[in-house]
């Protein structure tokens, strides 16, 4: 490789300024500087030259012939077309120089010589080579596919020096945008045969230029730290290794000046200004030092605040009384903006779409007050002339139009326009940054509303595999179309498989049945669930298996804009089974029967096949701004179900849920959530194990799966040859659920930097509280031949054993434990045990912790680390929980 070097002319008559001009081939990405032209008023006056006689006109020889030599790709006539020399004209030094300049201006030649020998003019040229390849070396931070589209020189083009210089500047600019001001680019070329050349850009990227220091001069009332906290640009520190705000960006610097001004204006400093802002690059080109010079000025308070309305429907005095700003408060420009927006919304709600609210300031510099008069300009009442839907290629117009809260001919209402925007966004069919545009109509009192949508894919095909602390390995597959045939219908088919559950489900939802404001949904499903119990709070084994086959039909009708009533009917066929080898014994007739001595008494009550016919209804209030990720609003739902209109099960169940979200500013979102419920049997029916409420992971963090509430804990013993009983390592912990429950949660979502937001990271801190209770203590009602063996452990606990599978075990005393209200059972005829009933209390369990949601490239990920602050005997706690899945 050789350095880029322009050819020289050996002709002494060549233009002197073209003889050996060579620009430096290395260009530095230095800090942006300002080149100041010298003012004409301050520039030194030119020294007057002594008068000279005008030179005599040069007399040249007449051109006899013009020869072109050295041209390979170009025809001689093409070369001659670029110059003004012609046969028969006189040849002079000036005309030769002009020809030289014209040929170099074409950028087709690397060297040109013009000579004259007694009228024979010879033009000797050396053509610029043809670019063969473009090669980038040293670029790691910016890949070839980002740089090459910015380069203007391409293969098979004529090489020119000016193009190479321009390309170097473009590459440098790309690195500047990434904050790498120390980057250098050195262009080189490799000569090939046939007058071809490879262009090599040797790139030295350098380190990213960080902001080493931010200096603020002139601030007296606020510290440097307070002002730096308002800026997007941050000082490079070890704690900000992953922050994108520590790199220098001129646009960000300009934005920070606006942030400073906004901050001071909200604190009452109406005269604040940034005098200067300078960014200096350190000599090593690694860091920037930014210096702001500010002038705070005096602090003002609000003076008299008035509202003057030129609209007949508005009383200025009444409006002024309802304003959030009052005389004597510190001046706050943000409150002024909010007041203007609020008055505009109020006017818009009464049909004045083009109402103009203008603040008039009365600044009193002596008393340091800022009087304000909000003038509502006169405007006509506006009506909706038309509603246009644009950009929808798949979605039918009616799907969008029916979400509008306004119709053509209605009086304009800005609140209804905002509500329409939110409803269209909630469909999930279009781009997120969507707004209903307002445009003037054909008359002064007419307005046109336009929904310019941009459709996005609504079909979902997902295959996922993952690991969950709840169900271990999970495999899921689903296909769903949320906008089937562009009609707004949802059609889905899904299935899942894990160690403890399997399911398949088909669903269909029509949000507007027969184009009426009535929704209809149908679900058909089969779910197989294996319940489990803990062994030493870590291992698990299956206790019972439940298979549910059924369907649900539901219909919803909106009662108001935010209130919806839903009616539903559910029919389930349940089959609960137990392992015969573990929980059954053989009676005198040789038949297998569920033996409460070999298993849990409540398990024998749960087994069997039954049909559940359930009629239910819900009342739902929802004004959330976004159902997927809400930041503002509340939702409340009341649910009631009645089982027993046919079927084998009789109960009624009531549940309530509520949640409220508050944006606290700067990206913080606080939420409160609560729910509770009860279930009771009727017509003499008791609540079976599978219909009760359970609480724990994942609903309530800090506790294990079904880790809160009533449970039966069994402790096993073995007897040695001397009759001493030793506690075994394993115990069994069975949750039995409850008929009442409640749960509440307070959570604060914490914002991160822009880089973390782009990665989908959303951390939060939380407090969870809840309880489940009210179930009868299990009792051993069937001991057959008896199970008390008359032994006690070292602590005086009564020990029991089961009846053998063949019925040969016999004792004489019932094992009911009057102290705990529970009987004792063992698995295995050679093992003895105690059994205790725990956790049946309404008192709250409380856990505190923090977690992170991450929309990772391989699927959703949630991790929680929590600590149980309040718990009771029998509760299973858990510190670390996570869920992760892979989509492919």
């Amino acid at each position: 490789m050789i350095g880029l070097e322009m050819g020289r002319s050996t002709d002494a008559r060549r233009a002197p300024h073209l003889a050996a001009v060579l620009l430096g081939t290395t260009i530095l990405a230095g800090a942006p500087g300002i080149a100041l032209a010298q003012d004409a008023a301050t520039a030194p006056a030119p020294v007057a030259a002594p008068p000279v006689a005008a030179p005599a006109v040069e007399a040249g020889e007449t051109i006899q012939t013009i020869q072109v030599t050295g041209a390979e790709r170009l025809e001689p006539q093409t070369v001659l077309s670029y110059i003004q020399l012609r046969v028969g004209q006189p040849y002079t030094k000036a005309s030769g120089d002009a020809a030289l300049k014209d040929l170099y201006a074409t950028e087709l030649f690397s060297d040109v010589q013009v000579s004259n020998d007694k009228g024979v003019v010879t033009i000797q040229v050396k053509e610029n080579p043809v670019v063969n390849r473009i090669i980038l070396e040293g670029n790691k931070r910016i890949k070839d596919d980002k740089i090459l589209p910015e380069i203007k020189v391409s293969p098979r083009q004529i090489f020119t020096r000016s193009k190479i210089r321009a390309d170097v500047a473009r590459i440098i600019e790309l690195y500047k945008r990434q904050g790498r001001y120390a980057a250098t680019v050195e262009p080189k070329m490799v000569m090939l045969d046939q007058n071809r050349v490879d262009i090599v850009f040797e790139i030295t990227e350098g380190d990213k230029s960080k902001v080493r220091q931010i200096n603020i001069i002139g601030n007296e009332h606020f510290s440097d730290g307070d002002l730096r906290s308002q800026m997007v640009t941050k000082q490079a520190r070890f704690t900000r290794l992953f922050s994108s705000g520590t790199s220098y960006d001129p646009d960000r610097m300009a934005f920070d000046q606006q942030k400073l001004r906004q901050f001071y204006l909200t604190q009452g400093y109406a005269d604040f200004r940034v005098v200067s802002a300078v960014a200096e690059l350190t000599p090593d080109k690694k860091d920037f030092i930014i210096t702001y010079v500010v002038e705070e000025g005096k602090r003002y308070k609000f003076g008299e605040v008035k509202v003057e309305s030129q609209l007949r429907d508005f009383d200025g005095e009444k409006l002024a009384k309802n304003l959030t700003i009052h005389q004597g408060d510190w001046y706050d420009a943000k409150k002024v903006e909010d007041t203007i927006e609020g008055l505009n919304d109020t006017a818009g709600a009464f049909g004045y779409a083009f109402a103009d609210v203008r603040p008039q300031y009365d600044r009193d510099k002596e008393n340091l007050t800022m009087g304000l008069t909000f003038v509502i300009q006169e405007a006509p009442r506006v009506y909706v002339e038309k509603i246009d839907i644009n950009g929808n290629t798949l979605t039918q117009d009616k799907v969008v139009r029916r979400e509008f809260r306004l119709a053509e001919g209605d009086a304009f209402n800005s609140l209804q326009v905002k509500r329409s925007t939110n409803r269209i966004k909630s469909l999930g069919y279009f781009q997120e940054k969507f707004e209903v545009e307002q445009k003037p109509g054909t008359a002064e009192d007419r307005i046109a509303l336009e929904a310019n949508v941009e459709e996005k894919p609504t079909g979902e095909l997902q295959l996922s595999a993952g690991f969950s602390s709840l169900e271990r390995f999970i495999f899921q597959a689903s296909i769903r179309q949320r906008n089937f045939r562009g009609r707004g219908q949802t059609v889905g088919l899904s299935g899942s498989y894990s160690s403890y559950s399997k399911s398949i489900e088909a669903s269909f939802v029509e949000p507007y049945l027969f184009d009426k404001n009535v929704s209809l949904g149908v679900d058909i499903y089969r779910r197989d669930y294996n319940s489990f119990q803990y062994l030493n709070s870590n291992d698990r084994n299956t206790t019972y298996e439940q298979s549910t086959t059924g369907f649900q039909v539901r219909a919803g009708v909106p009662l108001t804009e935010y209130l919806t009533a839903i009616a539903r009917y559910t029919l389930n066929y349940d089959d609960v089974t137990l392992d015969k080898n573990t929980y059954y014994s053989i009676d005198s007739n040789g038949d297998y029967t569920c033996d409460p001595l070999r298993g849990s008494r409540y398990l024998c009550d749960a087994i069997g096949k039954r049909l559940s016919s359930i009629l239910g209804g819900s009342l739902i209030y929802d004004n959330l701004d976004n159902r997927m990720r809400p930041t503002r609003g509340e939702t409340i739902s009341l649910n009631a179900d009645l089982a027993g209109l046919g079927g084998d099960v009789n109960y009624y169940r009531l549940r309530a849920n509520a949640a409220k979200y508050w944006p606290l500013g700067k990206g913080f979102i606080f939420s409160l959530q609560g729910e509770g419920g009860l279930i009771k049997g009727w017509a003499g029916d008791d609540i079976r194990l599978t219909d009760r409420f359970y609480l724990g992971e994942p609903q309530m963090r800090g506790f294990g799966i079904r880790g809160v509430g009533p449970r039966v804990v069994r402790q096993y013993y073995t007897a040695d040859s001397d009759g001493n009983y030793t506690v075994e390592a394993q115990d069994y912990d069975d949750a039995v659920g409850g008929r009442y429950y409640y749960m509440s949660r307070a959570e604060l979502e914490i914002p991160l930097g822009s880089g973390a937001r782009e990665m989908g990271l959303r951390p939060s801190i939380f407090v969870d509280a809840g309880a489940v209770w009210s179930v009868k203590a299990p009792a051993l009602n069937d001991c057959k031949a008896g199970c008390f063996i008359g032994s006690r452990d070292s602590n005086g606990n009564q020990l029991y054993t089961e009846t053998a599978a063949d019925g040969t075990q016999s004792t004489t005393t019932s094992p009911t434990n009057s102290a705990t209200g529970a009987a004792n059972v063992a698995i295995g005829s050679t093992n003895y045990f105690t059994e205790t009933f725990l956790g049946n209390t309404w008192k709250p369990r409380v856990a505190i912790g923090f977690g992170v949601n991450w929309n990772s490239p391989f699927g959703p990920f949630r991790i929680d680390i929590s600590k149980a602050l309040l718990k009771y005997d029998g509760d299973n706690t858990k510190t670390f929980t996570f869920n992760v899945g892979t989509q492919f």
Side-chain angles (χ1 to χ4, degrees), residues 19-38:
V21 179
L22 177 63
L23 295 177
T25 57
T26 301
I27 300 180
L28 298 179
I34 302 176
L36 299 177
Q38 194 169 29

Side-chain angles (χ1 to χ4, degrees), residues 427-429 456-460 480-484 488-490:
L427 291 175
Y429 306 157
K456 63 181 182 181
T458 55
E460 300 174 2
R480 185 172 67 151
Q481 173 55 258
R482 294 182 290 109
N483 189 14
F484 186 60
Q489 301 167 339
T490 300

